[in-house]
């Protein structure tokens, strides 16, 4: 294994993975993370592995991506052996391994397709993470909560600041095979309007300028979902804060246009 010298984003992986493990959101080898780097590493000749998707917006860029089967709790302890450094070829159709973990997450095509869309639509978002919080996956089994709008209206109205952090609500992708390109392409489409996308029956995808920033948004959504489940356990199906109050809060903070 070629090792890589210190990359500042590794600290972001380390801290975020430790938190994902501590919160119980990335059980076993569940979840994966990646970050695009600003600086180009040394030229690499090995970028010949064909991608199932064209990613022209990230051609020539470098991506850090968690390895297949790697555990959040171990990435939190020691990121280097669990994370690989990859370069997208200049043709946007191939990639190559540079250093670190050599066996990428099965979500590699999804991550690259999503980074491509982010670079195009929201270049400041450089980090994506995927994880399996039980309280969010459980929402997918509630009759009627089968769209981003239905889930956003129900869950983000339970706490007065949740919609402020997520004015656009969350995106939603109907169940797709884990690791499939279809899942990546549908997520990329949703991420052009949202920072969070719920993968039906599977887990959550979050984007941010850093992994810590993506984690923040995930944490806000998860808090609201946990309020929902506390109420349901008390036999209350909450109506939530009414729409006019939600709009008033958004207006006061200048975010009504994003609702
Ligand atoms: O095991 O979570 O979706 C990693 C994953 C794939
Ligand atoms: Zn998963």
């Amino acid at each position: 294994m070629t090792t890589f010298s210190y990359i500042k984003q590794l600290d972001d992986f380390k801290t975020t993975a430790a938190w994902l493990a501590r919160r119980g959101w990335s059980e076993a080898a569940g979840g994966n993370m990646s970050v695009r780097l600003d600086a180009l590493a040394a030229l690499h000749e090995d970028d010949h592995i064909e991608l199932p998707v064209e990613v022209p917006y990230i051609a020539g860029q470098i991506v850090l991506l968690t390895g297949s089967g790697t555990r959040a709790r171990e990435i939190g302890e020691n990121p280097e052996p669990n994370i690989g450094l990859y370069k997208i070829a200049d043709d946007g159709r191939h990639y190559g391994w540079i250093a670190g973990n050599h066996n990428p997450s099965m979500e590699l095509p999804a991550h690259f397709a999503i980074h491509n869309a982010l670079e195009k639509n929201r270049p400041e978002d450089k980090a994506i993470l995927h994880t399996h919080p039980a309280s969010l996956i459980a929402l997918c089994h509630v009759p009627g909560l089968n769209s981003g709008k239905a889930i956003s209206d129900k869950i983000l109205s339970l706490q007065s600041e949740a919609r402020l952090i997520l004015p656009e609500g969350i995106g939603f992708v109907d169940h797709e095979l884990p690791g499939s390109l279809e899942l990546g392409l549908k997520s990329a489409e949703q991420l052009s309007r949202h920072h969070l996308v719920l993968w039906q029956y599977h887990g959550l995808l979050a984007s941010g300028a850093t992994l810590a920033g993506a984690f923040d948004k995930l944490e806000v959504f998860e808090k609201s979902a946990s309020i929902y489940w506390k109420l349901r356990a008390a036999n209350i199906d909450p109506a939530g804060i009414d729409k006019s109050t939600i709009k008033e809060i958004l207006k006061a903070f200048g975010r009504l246009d994003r609702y």
Side-chain angles (χ1 to χ4, degrees):
M1 185 181 78
T2 310
T3 55
F4 37 80
S5 54
Y6 181 74
I7 296 172
K8 74 175 173 12
Q9 285 85 349
L10 282 178
D11 287 343
D12 195 21
F13 270 87
K14 190 172 171 173
T15 313
T16 306
W19 272 102
L20 287 170
R22 204 171 302 159
R23 298 296 298 262
W25 292 344
S26 280
E27 76 292 350
N32 31 66
M33 302 185 279
S34 65
V35 176
R36 297 194 307 290
L37 309 186
D38 296 327
L40 287 188
L43 270 183
H44 187 63
E45 301 302 328
D46 190 30
D47 47 4
H48 63 274
I49 307 168
E50 191 167 356
L51 281 165
V53 58
E54 204 169 349
V55 291
Y57 291 95
I58 56 169
Q61 292 198 15
I62 306 293
V63 176
L64 277 171
L65 172 68
T66 47
S68 175
T70 57
R71 302 177 177 93
R73 60 183 189 269
E74 290 174 359
I75 300 169
E77 295 278 322
N78 188 16
E80 285 87 345
N82 295 298
I83 298 167
L85 192 60
Y86 298 90
K87 178 169 187 267
I88 315 296
D90 291 338
D91 67 2
R93 296 234 48 142
H94 297 79
Y95 74 97
W97 170 79
I98 298 175
N101 184 293
H102 205 311
N103 186 19
S105 160
M106 67 157 141
E107 309 280 11
L108 178 144
H111 277 249
F112 286 3
I114 291 164
H115 278 297
N116 186 61
L118 285 175
E119 186 62 52
K120 181 180 174 205
N121 300 311
R122 226 179 26 231
E124 67 279 11
D125 273 20
K126 304 243 177 258
I128 54 180
L129 72 82
H130 160 60
T131 184
H132 299 168
S135 59
L136 303 184
I137 298 163
L139 295 174
C140 305
H141 296 273
V142 178
L145 294 190
N146 50 11
S147 72
K149 178 168 170 30
I151 294 170
S152 302
D153 286 349
K154 185 91 188 168
I155 305 302
L156 299 178
S157 66
L158 299 179
Q159 197 269 346
S160 70
E161 293 181 333
R163 196 85 205 203
L164 207 47
I165 309 293
L166 298 164
E168 301 86 1
I170 60 134
F172 186 83
V173 173
D174 286 329
H175 187 260
E176 292 286 350
L177 208 57
S180 64
L181 179 59
E182 208 52 31
L183 180 58
L185 293 176
K186 288 185 177 174
S187 302
E189 209 265 318
Q190 291 284 313
L191 275 184
S192 63
R193 276 165 290 141
H194 308 278
H195 286 89
L196 299 179
V197 180
L198 188 57
W199 290 351
Q200 191 179 34
Y201 311 135
H202 182 157
L204 193 89
L205 183 82
S207 77
T210 58
L211 291 169
F215 186 94
D216 286 343
K217 294 200 162 54
L218 153 66
E219 204 171 30
V220 167
F221 181 32
E222 204 277 342
K223 169 61 70 72
S224 289
S226 76
I227 294 167
Y228 176 74
W229 291 116
K230 279 182 203 298
L231 290 162
R232 290 298 301 259
N235 222 5
I236 297 165
D237 188 357
I241 303 167
D242 64 85
K243 214 169 234 178
S244 61
T245 308
I246 296 275
K247 285 184 173 171
E248 205 179 296
I249 299 167
L250 289 171
K251 192 162 175 235
F253 286 85
R255 295 189 193 164
L256 190 55
D257 58 325
R258 288 167 56 191
Y259 178 61

